[in-house]
Each structure stands twice: as C-alpha cells, then as structure tokens.
C-alpha cells in the first residue's frame, strides 16, 4: 500500500473516488456532500491531495481545500474503498494529509466538519478541538459545498450556527503546550453525536 501526493497521472481515479463517496453517503445515511468526478479531478491535479493505492487499485483518498486567503485549510473528502476498510488506512491517510497541510500551509488553521465518530477521534488525536461554526472560515464558497448534503436545510434554518456535523479546529498558531497523551473519550463523542441526532432528526419520526 502506497500513500502518494496526487498529481495529474491520478485523474483516472476521479470517477471511482466520486462513486465511493456517494455510496458511503447512502450507507451512513447521515449526510455527506457530493463530489463530482470533475470536482475530484481538480483536487487530484493541484497537488493538494493524498491517494492510497494498492498497486494500481484505488484504496483511499483525502484532499486539502484552501479558504480565506490561506488563513484556513480543510482536510476534506476522506474516503476508503470498502475493500480496504477496518485496516487502519483511514487513519494513515488522515495523518498524511494533515502533515501535508502543515508543510504547505504552516500558518493556516486546519479545520473540518464531520458527522463521523471515527473521524472525530482521528482529529482529536491529531490535536483538533471541537469548536462552534463561528470559529471556522466564513468563506461562503466553503459553506456552499454543503448544499448537496441531505442535512443542508438544518444548516440554513440555524443560520449556519450548527448542524449534525461537528466543527473541529487545529490552530497552528496557538501556543503549543506539552501535555500527556490522553486516551480519547469515545463515550463523550458518542454522547455529542446522540444529542445532535435527537435534536435534529426528530422530523424523521414525524414524516
């Protein structure tokens, strides 16, 4: 398995990446913004993505988006092909894209929004902290990307203050402190997720 910084030679994988993201959204049912093959192709070409390959077979992907004149960057579109899940690949890709973000944009704040407990845990281990949406980029182009998510109506109803996603932020300019490594409290993340679901998914029971 190789983790490679993507380039134009990897454009041929755009369709399968897009399809894998779409299928994952259907399985999870919690909402993932769609990414077209054309959208993925641009991310493969600009050197801001990591692709995992098993020989020539696609295994995983994640990319960097730059917002607010490089004040913020987001690690987005993390996906692992079903054939390679539950092997620690997502964590390896997440770590590599995080390192690439810090190498290319050392002064930027790195952020993400996710409904996935596993991604929350990975972010936490990398030094991200849960934050309100007001602490993330206010670039309208970023939030426009949420329009294809099934939960976009929640985001608009709350005037972009909250949604089922949890916002997480790594501030590279913050004063680093030496702290003992803590074990992630998965119960806390699960509780946070259940609270969000109970608040916003009640409408399903009424439909």
């Amino acid at each position: 398995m190789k983790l490679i910084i993507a380039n134009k030679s990897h454009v041929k994988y755009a369709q399968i990446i897009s399809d894998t993201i779409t299928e994952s959204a259907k399985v999870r049912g919690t909402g993932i913004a769609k990414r077209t093959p054309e959208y993925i192709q641009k991310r493969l070409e600009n050197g801001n993505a990591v692709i995992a390959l098993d020989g020539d077979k696609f295994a995983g992907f994640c990319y960097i988006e730059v917002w607010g004149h490089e004040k913020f960057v987001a690690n987005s579109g993390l996906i692992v092909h079903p054939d390679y899940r539950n092997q620690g690949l997502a964590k390896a890709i997440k770590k590599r894209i995080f390192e690439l973000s810090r190498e290319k944009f050392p002064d930027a704040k790195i952020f993400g929004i996710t409904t996935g407990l596993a991604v929350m845990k990975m972010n936490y281990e990398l030094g991200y902290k849960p934050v309100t949406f007001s602490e993330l980029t206010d670039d309208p182009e970023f939030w426009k990307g949420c329009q294809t998510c099934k939960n976009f109506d929640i985001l608009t109803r709350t005037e972009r203050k909250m949604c089922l996603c949890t916002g997480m932020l790594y501030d590279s300019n913050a004063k680093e402190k030496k702290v003992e490594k803590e074990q992630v409290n998965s119960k806390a993340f699960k509780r946070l997720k259940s609270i969000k679901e109970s608040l916003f998914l009640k409408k399903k029971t009424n439909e």
Side-chain angles (χ1 to χ4, degrees):
M1 184 70 66
K2 293 183 179 179
L3 298 185
I4 305 164
I5 298 174
N7 55 55
K8 291 182 179 180
S9 71
H10 300 110
V11 167
K12 61 184 178 181
Y13 295 103
Q15 184 66 58
I16 190 172
I17 293 171
S18 176
D19 291 344
T20 305
I21 291 172
T22 299
E23 288 304 312
S24 180
K26 291 178 182 177
V27 172
R28 283 174 54 181
T30 51
I32 299 176
K34 294 179 182 178
R35 275 87 170 186
T36 65
E38 294 75 20
Y39 184 94
I40 296 296
Q41 180 176 331
K42 292 178 181 178
R43 277 69 197 169
L44 290 165
E45 292 176 335
N46 67 10
N48 285 347
V50 169
I51 187 168
L53 296 175
D54 181 9
D56 291 329
K57 188 176 180 182
F58 167 70
F61 175 77
C62 192
Y63 66 89
I64 301 168
E65 284 279 35
V66 183
W67 306 102
H69 305 289
E70 298 189 3
K71 291 181 181 178
F72 290 88
V73 298
N75 295 163
S76 301
L78 176 63
I79 194 70
V80 172
H81 190 278
D83 293 347
Y84 296 93
R85 289 174 186 166
N86 302 313
Q87 300 177 28
L89 183 56
K91 189 172 183 179
I93 295 171
K94 184 71 177 177
K95 184 174 184 293
R96 184 65 190 98
I97 200 72
F98 177 76
E99 292 169 348
L100 183 62
S101 300
R102 297 200 66 191
E103 290 164 14
K104 298 191 72 171
F105 308 99
D107 297 321
K109 295 179 180 180
I110 306 172
F111 75 99
I113 59 173
T114 182
T115 58
L117 178 62
V119 176
M120 290 183 205
K121 291 171 69 174
M122 285 187 277
N123 285 345
Y124 185 91
E125 290 171 351
L126 289 169
Y128 288 68
K129 302 296 181 186
V131 295
T132 61
F133 282 8
S134 64
E135 294 178 67
L136 307 179
T137 180
D138 58 1
D139 192 320
E141 287 301 310
F142 171 78
W143 297 102
K144 190 183 291 184
C146 295
Q147 289 179 351
T148 57
C149 176
K150 63 182 291 184
N151 300 315
F152 185 65
D153 64 312
I154 298 172
L155 188 67
T156 53
R157 287 204 312 270
T158 61
E159 298 180 342
R160 219 168 65 192
K161 292 177 181 177
M162 63 179 69
C163 194
L164 292 189
C165 278
T166 295
M168 300 192 76
L169 181 74
Y170 176 89
D171 189 351
S172 59
N173 295 314
K175 199 171 184 180
E176 294 187 1
K177 298 178 181 180
K178 290 183 179 180
V179 295
E180 293 183 6
K181 190 174 182 180
E182 297 179 281
Q183 184 176 5
V184 177
N185 188 344
S186 62
K187 288 185 179 179
F189 283 118
K190 287 178 180 176
R191 178 169 173 74
L192 176 62
K193 187 177 179 184
S194 66
I195 289 172
K196 284 175 175 284
E197 289 176 346
S198 66
L199 286 173
F200 297 112
L201 294 182
K202 285 181 179 179
K203 63 177 184 178
K204 283 190 174 181
T205 61
N206 297 324
E207 290 177 352

